[in-house]
Amino acid sequence: MAKKRGPKSSNIEVLPEVELLADEEHPDFVAGAVCDDSEECAEAQADESIQEAANDLSAELAGAHIFPRRFPRPFPRWPRFCSAVSGRYRFAPRFFPPAPPSGPFVPRPISPLPAPFLPITIKVRVDVDRFFPQDRISIEVRRRFPNSTAHAIAEVTSDRCIGLNRRRIEAAITYRDGAASLIPGDRVVFEAKRVRGFFYGAYTLRLMQGPSTVRTWNLVFESRYFDPVEFEVDSVANAGTPVTTYATGSHPNRPANLPSETISLQSVYQRAGFDVAMSPNTTVIPTSDAGANGTWSDSEMHNAMVTYWSRFQNRPQWAMWVLYAARHDIGRSLGGIMFDDIGPNHRQGTAIFTDSFVQDAPNGDADPVAWRRRMVFWTAAHEMGHAFNLAHSWQKSLGNPWITLANEPEARSFMNYPFAVSGGESSFFADFPFRFSDQELIFMRHAPRRFVQMGNSDWFVNHGFEAPESLMQGGGWSLEIRPNREANGYAFMEPVEMELKLTNSSSTRREVDKDLLADGQHVSILIAREGSGTRRWRPFVTHCHRGDPIDLKQGEAIYGAHLVSASTAGWLIDEPGFYKLQAAVDLGDEVVVSNVLRLHVAPPGSDEETELAPNYFSEDVARVLAFEGAPALESATDVLRELQERCPDHPAATHAALALCSPMLRDFKLLDAVPGDRTSLQVRSQTARLSEGAETGVAALLENPGAAAQTLGHINYFNALSSLANAMDTEGDETGAAKVLTSSVATMKLRGVLPSVIKTVERRLAKYR
């Protein structure tokens, strides 16, 4: 077996000698192509001069790794094999250096022109062998003057080995992006052949239109991988040792044909086609100054991600930060998150929560220790897949199209939930080959690189969303999008909060995940300003949690609330005028579409609003509002503070106050580091300022409770009151907590909130009496 060693680090788990199967020993590895029975191949085999050369060079061949098995010497006949060609190539036109200024012309060796001097750069990715071949050839072209790009994907129609390392692959172009004139023709022909000895030495790609060659490019081989990528894995001290490897034979519930080996996060993504480097800058982040609260809120985690990427390289790059933390505020049902909104460059960071349901082995499991390690490893690979812009297996048809994709609810892929397939987690792992699906591999390897690269396109862009009018209404469900206010009119700059209500409209009980509308990943909301195009709302953070199914009787419903004014693409509702909104929710086997809601945004009502607007409508302000506080975004926080001071009666001031006071109501964790020094990471705690935060919260939420409930929406308003009461109770102010809950009950009754919700708050209030 070939042994590969992981990166060394003095601070984090040092990968052991990983018993990873050598490529040629793995059943999913295709070493190359066998010579076919064509006339050309037969002629090559009969060529005695070539046979003699093969025998003379057999010693050279014995040490080469181009065949799955060594051949004897001398060869009894011509080898019928073409070694692997999958990988990345670049355009390298060849030229003759000029002859001396005098004397006869002397031919000189042909040399490739260095890439920096080329007016055009071309990358070709060939995917016909090695791990999980997808029979695709993709072409990426960038022209410098004038600046333009093009991308094409071709599906292989013929792959012929016509002699020893003489290979010809034909493919038909099925996808285009960008300037089509840069990649003319309707099919491509890729050829690899020997120049001397046994090894490939010349590569060409021809663009064809019918029988004619439109363009020919000489290529040089760059890498067996499609792109390089670097992973940095850090761990918060109380999260335990990060699980970055897994022995596939350690748990008895596995496919019978699954090879027994120890895989790693590195090898999983290498087999997906990436040249993975594990950063040596891994560290255990101390928590000695983090305070007593060991759980993380979305706001704290967002703050840590902002800090990390602002201190280092906040730009699109093939690099990802993976942070292992203990537990999220949501609790053990949340196993990981992927942030899609850090600065202008998204999908650069993920977090894995080790103290979560991934530790809850089923009762009676044959090997709970292996089960837990497998689940943590799966969670890490899953969250990292999101950073490559992969959607969940069951929601591929919800996204902007790059190619037509079908949902794969039963896929045995890292991007599916084990507990979501038929038969549950046990059935999933009984057939799980520890790989990505073919659709996912095609996307990762061949989609335009801006779709895949970390820090580039937003998550879930280019994954296939259909317009709502083309979707079918779910037969047993009804979905409503509503503002839960008296009128659909909003002040200029007022954040728009929308509630979603999914009702069982069938005559029987129906099962549904209770968090379906709350987590944002199953919901699509389209927003269009009348007279302008339609844009899609996406949540700022993606939660990957354990499903919590509940039974709904006929007429019963679940609810969710979201700030829809802004998304990862910026502000969606920021100008005066009329807007239309429509939502769709993916239930797995059906998509349910909501009503169309029309709302109006008024023009600015004062000079202060006009003056504040340019700074207010920024991506960072949207993030502070969405996360109810982000101390790392200091300038945006100052904008909200100024809004609160200059326009205290404006509805947006209530949202600003909530974002300003929320971080004060808890010991807020911060990630600190010396600029440029990755090894200095540490988690410290910003001490809660309960009195100041409570005062700000009471003023915003209770001085005019009706107005506050109207602009925040019922769900957010009453959640804010609950958090405020909890903070006051923690401080020992039972009188203040009781006052907050009393006001909450009174407001609920006035606004017609469900009696069951009111009773829950009344029971909590009773303990103060």
Side-chain angles (χ1 to χ4, degrees):
M1 290 186 178
K3 295 183 179 181
K4 301 181 182 180
R5 185 185 298 273
K8 291 186 177 180
S9 168
S10 59
N11 298 315
I12 214 165
E13 177 192 30
V14 177
L15 295 183
E17 290 285 346
V18 177
E19 294 292 339
L20 189 67
L21 284 180
D23 288 350
E24 62 270 20
E25 296 179 12
H26 198 285
D28 291 318
F29 183 79
V30 179
V34 177
C35 186
D36 61 21
D37 293 325
S38 67
E39 182 178 347
E40 189 173 0
C41 185
E43 291 176 355
Q45 294 176 36
D47 190 327
E48 293 183 1
S49 63
I50 296 179
Q51 178 67 60
E52 183 178 353
N55 292 335
D56 291 342
L57 293 174
S58 60
E60 177 183 354
L61 178 64
H65 297 285
I66 61 172
F67 299 114
R69 298 289 184 268
R70 294 179 180 176
F71 285 82
R73 181 184 184 276
F75 289 108
R77 66 191 302 268
W78 180 249
R80 297 164 57 85
F81 187 77
C82 291
S83 54
V85 293
S86 286
R88 186 178 71 248
Y89 298 78
R90 68 174 174 85
F91 175 47
R94 299 179 180 276
F95 72 105
F96 286 97
S102 61
F105 174 76
V106 179
R108 294 176 179 269
I110 298 176
S111 303
L113 192 66
F117 298 99
L118 295 177
I120 190 170
T121 59
I122 299 168
K123 300 284 186 181
V124 176
R125 293 169 173 84
V126 179
D127 182 6
V128 293
D129 41 39
R130 305 193 196 278
F131 277 101
F132 317 119
Q134 297 303 308
D135 292 328
R136 299 293 194 280
I137 296 176
S138 55
I139 307 166
E140 178 185 5
V141 178
R142 179 177 295 277
R143 184 174 58 197
R144 301 179 191 276
F145 306 106
N147 185 35
S148 57
T149 61
H151 192 95
I153 302 174
E155 295 186 24
V156 172
T157 57
S158 172
D159 183 358
R160 300 172 61 204
C161 177
I162 54 179
L164 174 61
N165 279 343
R166 294 177 61 194
R167 195 162 175 181
R168 188 176 192 272
I169 304 169
E170 299 184 25
I173 294 177
T174 57
Y175 170 87
R176 292 184 181 275
D177 177 68
S181 61
L182 293 179
I183 309 177
D186 58 8
R187 61 191 181 93
V188 301
V189 176
F190 173 85
E191 292 182 300
K193 63 181 180 180
R194 296 178 300 112
V195 174
R196 59 177 63 90
F198 283 89
F199 307 101
Y200 292 125
Y203 308 92
T204 58
L205 186 79
R206 287 185 290 136
L207 302 179
M208 310 289 292
Q209 183 67 51
S212 304
T213 298
V214 181
R215 197 163 294 168
T216 300
W217 292 323
N218 294 315
L219 307 174
V220 295
F221 180 77
E222 282 193 324
S223 172
R224 64 182 295 177
Y225 299 103
F226 300 106
D227 287 288
V229 66
E230 180 181 89
F231 298 153
E232 177 169 334
V233 179
D234 292 323
S235 173
V236 180
N238 64 353
T241 302
V243 174
T244 56
T245 65
Y246 176 68
T248 57
S250 62
H251 196 281
N253 182 26
R254 62 181 185 273
N257 60 350
L258 181 68
S260 183
E261 57 179 340
T262 301
I263 59 175
S264 65
L265 295 175
Q266 183 178 20
S267 66
V268 163
Y269 282 93
Q270 283 176 333
R271 290 173 177 177
F274 294 88
D275 188 5
V276 179
M278 300 299 291
S279 171
N281 301 308
T282 56
T283 185
V284 173
I285 304 172
T287 57
S288 54
D289 296 326
N293 181 9
T295 64
W296 291 78
S297 66
D298 279 349
S299 179
E300 289 173 328
M301 188 59 70
H302 172 269
N303 212 65
M305 296 284 177
V306 168
T307 300
Y308 180 88
W309 285 110
S310 64
R311 299 287 175 96
F312 306 117
Q313 298 182 35
N314 189 15
R315 59 179 175 81
Q317 57 186 320
W318 291 101
M320 182 193 317
W321 186 40
V322 182
L323 178 65
Y324 284 76
R327 189 189 293 191
H328 192 276
D329 283 353
I330 289 176
R332 294 181 61 83
S333 66
L334 186 63
I337 55 177
M338 189 276 294
F339 281 86
D340 190 30
D341 73 299
I342 309 305
N345 305 309
H346 304 166
R347 297 184 290 104
Q348 297 187 89
T350 67
I352 315 302
F353 297 109
T354 56
D355 184 11
S356 67
F357 71 91
V358 299
Q359 299 292 333
D360 300 337
N363 292 331
D365 188 84
D367 191 337
V369 174
W371 188 96
R372 295 185 185 101
R373 189 173 186 90
R374 182 177 63 186
M375 282 299 295
V376 177
F377 184 84
W378 167 83
T379 302
H382 175 96
E383 294 302 333
M384 294 168 74
H386 284 319
F388 282 88
N389 209 356
L390 292 177
H392 290 116
S393 299
W394 66 87
Q395 56 181 167
K396 296 181 186 300
S397 63
L398 292 179
N400 295 332
W402 80 283
I403 59 174
T404 302
L405 295 176
N407 287 338
E408 299 179 294
E410 291 297 320
R412 272 31 177 190
S413 161
F414 278 113
M415 299 316 298
N416 207 356
Y417 280 175
F419 41 79
V421 304
S422 300
E425 170 266 327
S426 178
S427 175
F428 178 87
F429 282 112
D431 297 322
F432 180 45
F434 288 88
R435 56 162 290 191
F436 296 95
S437 74
D438 287 350
Q439 282 198 61
E440 291 156 357
L441 290 174
I442 292 171
F443 177 82
M444 296 168 81
R445 295 172 177 179
H446 300 291
R449 307 326 284 161
R450 70 182 186 277
F451 296 172
V452 186
Q453 184 187 40
M454 291 94 243
N456 216 312
S457 293
D458 293 353
W459 181 71
F460 218 14
V461 168
N462 302 295
H463 277 284
F465 184 76
E466 301 175 57
E469 58 267 22
S470 68
L471 296 174
M472 295 183 62
Q473 181 74 27
W477 301 95
S478 62
L479 178 66
E480 180 185 6
I481 184 169
R482 64 187 190 183
N484 222 335
R485 56 195 291 159
E486 295 173 359
N488 295 345
Y490 290 79
F492 181 67
M493 294 199 306
E494 180 180 5
V496 176
E497 299 273 358
M498 281 290 150
E499 292 185 5
L500 298 174
K501 178 182 179 182
L502 181 67
T503 305
N504 177 9
S505 56
S506 71
S507 58
T508 60
R509 287 178 177 267
R510 301 289 298 272
E511 185 179 275
V512 69
D513 186 344
K514 76 171 186 177
D515 296 316
L516 187 75
L517 301 181
D519 63 14
Q521 61 177 294
H522 297 85
V523 174
S524 295
I525 300 176
L526 297 187
I527 300 174
R529 184 171 181 267
E530 293 187 2
S532 301
T534 300
R535 302 173 70 187
R536 182 178 172 219
W537 171 88
R538 296 177 182 85
F540 283 97
V541 61
T542 299
H543 289 155
C544 290
H545 64 87
R546 175 176 54 192
D548 189 4
I550 58 173
D551 279 334
L552 295 182
K553 299 176 183 177
Q554 181 182 9
E556 291 184 333
I558 58 172
Y559 301 84
H562 299 285
L563 173 68
V564 300
S565 290
S567 179
T568 55
W571 285 82
L572 307 179
I573 301 177
D574 55 353
E575 297 182 34
F578 287 93
Y579 292 81
K580 289 182 179 179
L581 289 77
Q582 188 171 28
V585 60
D586 184 4
L587 296 175
D589 56 349
E590 60 181 316
V591 175
V592 185
V593 181
S594 77
N595 57 301
V596 176
L597 179 75
R598 191 167 185 256
L599 61 83
H600 179 258
V601 175
S606 66
D607 292 340
E608 285 81 4
E609 293 178 37
T610 303
E611 293 172 8
L612 287 168
N615 292 329
Y616 177 80
F617 288 117
S618 70
E619 290 187 17
D620 281 353
V621 168
R623 294 186 187 98
V624 177
L625 290 171
F627 285 104
E628 295 185 354
L633 303 178
E634 296 177 2
S635 296
T637 303
D638 288 341
V639 170
L640 294 180
R641 192 173 287 112
E642 182 181 4
L643 167 66
Q644 190 185 28
E645 292 170 355
R646 295 181 62 180
C647 305
D649 297 326
H650 193 283
T654 301
H655 294 262
L658 198 60
L660 293 172
C661 79
S662 292
M664 303 180 197
L665 299 178
R666 63 184 291 160
D667 290 341
F668 196 91
K669 285 183 284 299
L670 300 169
L671 181 68
D672 273 353
V674 176
D677 181 6
R678 295 173 183 245
T679 63
S680 65
L681 294 173
Q682 65 173 342
V683 177
R684 68 176 179 84
S685 179
Q686 178 177 280
T687 305
R689 293 177 288 166
L690 289 173
S691 297
E692 182 182 352
E695 181 180 352
T696 302
V698 166
L701 300 173
L702 298 184
E703 285 187 0
N704 189 342
Q710 172 140 314
T711 188
L712 293 174
H714 285 181
I715 294 175
N716 288 335
Y717 177 70
F718 295 118
N719 284 343
L721 285 176
S722 179
S723 297
L724 181 59
N726 287 340
M728 299 175 83
D729 185 75
T730 300
E731 190 183 21
D733 184 4
E734 293 188 356
T735 301
K739 179 182 177 182
V740 169
L741 294 177
T742 299
S743 177
S744 180
V745 169
T747 306
M748 284 180 177
K749 291 179 178 179
L750 284 174
R751 301 188 69 83
V753 173
L754 291 173
S756 59
V757 178
I758 297 175
K759 288 181 180 179
T760 300
V761 181
E762 287 178 332
R763 284 195 296 270
R764 185 176 168 192
L765 179 60
K767 78 172 191 175
Y768 297 113
R769 293 174 177 167

